[in-house]
Amino acid sequence: MLGNHASTTEFYLLGFPGSEELRHILFATFFFFYSVTLMGNTVIIVVVCVDKRLQSPMYFFLGHLSTLEILTTSIIDPVMLWGLPLRGMQTISLAACVAQLFLYLAVGTTEFALLGAMAVDCYVAVCNPLRYDVIMNSRTCIWVVITSWAFGFLSEIWPVYATFQLTFCKSNVVNNFFCDRGQLLRLSCNHTLFIEFILFLIAVFVLFDSLIPTIVSYTYIISTILKIPSTSGRRKAFSACASHFTCVVIGYSTCLFLYVKPKQTQAAEYNRVASLMVSVVIPLLNPFIFTLCKVTEALWDAVKRCCQLFRSEPCPSHFTWENSYHGF
């Protein structure tokens, strides 16, 4: 059906302009980043699923967040890596372009919804620790995750559908390394001012729908932390939310610059750099940001067990960590 409204059945991804040597360097760099991202997030998922000490809402959400990071980078990076060694432009079919854009936006929206839920989880843990187990029970956590995934995928159906209802007759060369919506709008012969405004409103709704509970939650969290009399108590409370807060700042600041702007047809270099942040840098950093004390402790115990299997002498005992959420 889309083919009846579009004047092209395939697009060409311009990728990264430059010399062949530069593209080979970029290929090696991005392949390394992609491998580390997959490895780091997979380790977090496995440890969260296996270790009984991590069977809590905080790490349940973290496991789903790591899954979303793997999906985000896997939607974009393999296509980008495949095109980097090519001497010419990379060809992508219309159907593949639609699928890539939809999955990229849907997974990103799901991630922001989940970050908002994690902010509320931090609020309950810090501000209502005695009622934490009652409020954040298993049924609540499952419904939060289901709602986040459903919201992410359902909210992006119309924006992607409307984008590919346009007629692309100016060119079929996308000046990016993936099917970037802003660059697709530049190829359209239609008047895109109205649809760009609607897409802007949707982006504002999607991002601020999760940003508002995050801001409210951290307002109460900071207020509660400042009232804790002991320094060690304040340190424990802050450490419980520091990783999530760092991820929120990096993720929201990047996507606010990339998507929440009335003019979607931004300069190509601007979009390329911001897209690299979202699809390469942030998924790479999150495993390190979210390697919390209990995850590190579980990994260290696993290393100890492996060490004891292959060596006769005992391995050095691990250091102890303070509890992440309780005991303020």
Side-chain angles (χ1 to χ4, degrees), residues 10-32:
E10 63 182 15
F11 294 96
Y12 294 96
L13 303 179
L14 187 60
F16 297 87
S19 64
E20 186 175 351
E21 291 77 11
L22 175 60
R23 291 199 302 272
H24 283 119
I25 293 174
L26 291 176
F27 176 86
T29 303
F30 292 149
F31 181 78
F32 173 75

Side-chain angles (χ1 to χ4, degrees), residues 24 116 137 194 207 218:
H24 283 119
N137 55 65
F194 176 73
L207 287 179
Y218 274 102

Side-chain angles (χ1 to χ4, degrees), residues 126-127 219-231 233-234 237 328:
V126 174
C127 301
T219 300
Y220 283 101
I221 289 172
I222 294 172
S223 176
T224 302
I225 290 176
L226 293 177
K227 294 177 183 178
I228 298 176
S230 66
T231 303
R234 289 194 297 269
F328 299 138

Side-chain angles (χ1 to χ4, degrees), residues 105 154-164 181 195 199 202:
L105 295 176
L154 293 177
S155 63
E156 295 298 337
I157 292 177
W158 186 88
V160 174
Y161 173 80
T163 300
F164 286 96
R181 183 169 62 190
I195 189 174
L199 293 175
I202 293 175

Side-chain angles (χ1 to χ4, degrees), residues 1 25 28 41 49 56 58 74-75 84 97 101 109 132 142 147 190 194 206 209 212 234 238 240 245 248 301 303:
M1 190 173 88
I25 293 174
N41 284 288
C49 291
S56 67
M58 175 185 181
S74 296
I75 291 166
L84 275 171
C97 190
L101 181 61
T109 302
Y132 180 76
I142 292 173
T147 303
N190 306 91
F194 176 73
V206 167
D209 187 56
I212 290 175
R234 289 194 297 269
F238 177 77
F245 182 76
V248 164
D301 286 347
V303 171

Side-chain angles (χ1 to χ4, degrees), residues 250-289:
I250 297 175
Y252 277 100
S253 59
T254 303
C255 286
L256 283 172
F257 281 110
L258 184 58
Y259 294 112
V260 184
K261 55 183 185 291
K263 190 67 174 174
Q264 294 288 312
T265 54
Q266 193 73 25
E269 293 304 322
Y270 176 97
N271 277 9
R272 187 177 287 109
V273 172
S275 299
L276 277 175
M277 285 290 297
V278 174
S279 61
V280 177
V281 178
I282 294 178
L284 173 70
L285 293 179
N286 278 355
F288 300 99
I289 295 174

